[in-house]
Amino acid sequence: MTAVEGFVGSLARSDAARDLDRSVSCRLTDLGHVVQGRLARGSVRDMAAVPDSPAVPKADIRLTMSSDDLLAMTAGRLSFGPAWAAGRVKLEAGLRDMLRLRSLL
């Protein structure tokens, strides 16, 4: 949970996400959980982990990765851009959000 909050928190503090008010989720494929929260006003709020299932509502910004890749990115051993390009991290969002977040890629 700390790693997700750190990673999403750094996303929230970026200039690209400064004015966003969106739901965000991070699906951890190897743990079978989804961490959900809200990215608003430069911070992340209401983070909670729930078991992964089809009933989990879709967030506006959705990340999918393994817990090992999340920890590596949080520790600075793995960069988002190369991980995304290699298919280790998946980012799904609306076109407008993707254009705003492109600087992170």
Side-chain angles (χ1 to χ4, degrees):
M1 192 66 153
T2 302
V4 172
E5 288 177 353
F7 180 74
V8 176
S10 66
L11 173 69
R13 290 184 297 275
S14 73
D15 287 339
R18 176 183 43 204
D19 298 327
L20 290 179
D21 183 5
R22 303 284 191 274
S23 59
V24 63
S25 69
C26 182
R27 176 169 277 114
L28 300 170
T29 56
D30 57 328
L31 299 180
H33 277 77
V34 177
V35 180
Q36 301 172 305
R38 185 128 203 114
L39 186 113
R41 293 183 290 279
S43 66
V44 74
R45 306 162 192 242
D46 305 323
M47 296 297 284
V50 297
D52 192 5
S53 77
V56 174
K58 276 190 167 181
D60 298 321
I61 300 170
R62 299 174 301 281
L63 296 156
T64 303
M65 66 190 78
S66 72
S67 60
D68 289 339
D69 287 338
L70 172 64
L71 292 173
M73 283 193 292
T74 302
R77 294 186 313 269
L78 179 65
S79 296
F80 182 84
W84 175 77
R88 293 172 64 177
V89 175
K90 186 176 179 182
L91 172 65
E92 298 174 88
L95 180 59
R96 191 174 288 176
D97 290 337
M98 287 293 255
L99 290 173
R100 289 190 73 176
L101 297 173
R102 73 182 179 269
S103 63
L104 299 175
L105 305 175

